[in-house]
Amino acid sequence: MRRAGVVRLRDLPLPELTRIAGELSAVGVERLLRTAVSRIGGGSLQTAAEYSLGLAQGTRDWPASDRRRRAAQVYGVSVERFRKHHELMVLGQITEQIIVLAGRPHTAQEPGAPDTARPLAPVHRSLHLRIHGRPEPATVRIHVHSADLLRDVDVVLSPSNTYFALPAPYKSSVSATLRRAGARLDPAGGLVEDHIHDELAHWVARSGTGGRAALPGTVAVTSAGALAAQGVRRIYHVAVAQPRPGTNDYDVQPADVTRGVARAFAVLAEESPRFDPPLTSVCLPLLGAGRGGLTPLESFGALWPAVEAELARRHHWEIHFVVRAQARADLIERLLAPLAAPTTHDRGTA
């Protein structure tokens, strides 16, 4: 499959992948592969996996040699070194995630044995929460996939450094993923317009912050570029990461995450009436939980107070979270469990 790429999936005999996916179509197998890669947890490993299989945007029809070359660049090694070492590791990790999704040990199934595969882990979860000061339960949705797969969410928050300098589009962070997905490409995958990068540069120029850091918590607004075709209308770039001088590292303070999310909601309330229909839905990643150094628990603990306050104040917001790893979705669900609204059955017996 690595050699053929996703564009030729329908021509390949892939009985095990088809069985695990639970669908006979190439679309089902591709969905399985995307889910497995999304569970790797980000970083260079996931980026290399996306390029290796042709899952990165614009690479579906790339020759296997071009995909391998780009994946090698992710690790900064030669193509030959990547082929002999890193590629085996990448494909092995994808395989391990597929095995987990299949719900069975790493052994071949005996002919005629019953199908023991379990359904794929959910990529969407809905939680109904009781919020103090809110008369009806609030619905919070968790998306377990890459941010570029979001659909029909008005606003997506994107973590940024205080200089609003976007990372290179081939990287694996949320901001790089959104930049890549918002760009317009030619049929061969070449960049035509870097919408989000260019608009953010114009925002920096207009705001007068060019060349100096903005205050942590500042929010810059751009369109969603090509993501508009998926129903995403705005990107709110939230400055939470402060570059550490003389290094490639960042510092993120939880208070800045809280402040940035609160500011994003203020901008949303200001912008919403100017759109038809109004902006009502917003999706948040775990800000600062990548290179910013915060743990997922610290990030969620910093952003949730601002979200909860908004849910109590304005009842019409639709709240979404997006994470790549099932473990992070599980964490969010556990942390919000104390706020779970009683089920219909519980209310009937109370």
Side-chain angles (χ1 to χ4, degrees), residues 90-106:
V90 169
L91 297 180
Q93 287 298 306
I94 297 170
T95 303
E96 289 299 327
Q97 294 301 330
I98 291 174
I99 291 168
V100 172
L101 292 172
R104 59 182 175 81
H106 192 184

Side-chain angles (χ1 to χ4, degrees), residues 234-248:
R234 305 292 269 173
I235 304 293
Y236 287 1
H237 306 265
V238 185
V240 295
Q242 300 183 64
R244 195 177 302 165
T247 73
N248 293 321

Side-chain angles (χ1 to χ4, degrees), residues 1 6 30-56 90-91 93-98 101 144-146 324-325:
M1 184 269 140
V6 293
E30 180 177 347
R31 186 181 298 116
L32 168 66
L33 293 169
R34 289 189 179 278
T35 302
V37 170
S38 72
R39 291 169 59 97
I40 291 176
S44 299
L45 184 60
Q46 181 166 329
T47 303
E50 291 169 348
Y51 280 121
S52 294
L53 299 187
L55 299 177
V90 169
L91 297 180
Q93 287 298 306
I94 297 170
T95 303
E96 289 299 327
Q97 294 301 330
I98 291 174
L101 292 172
V144 191
H145 52 63
S146 178
R324 288 193 175 191

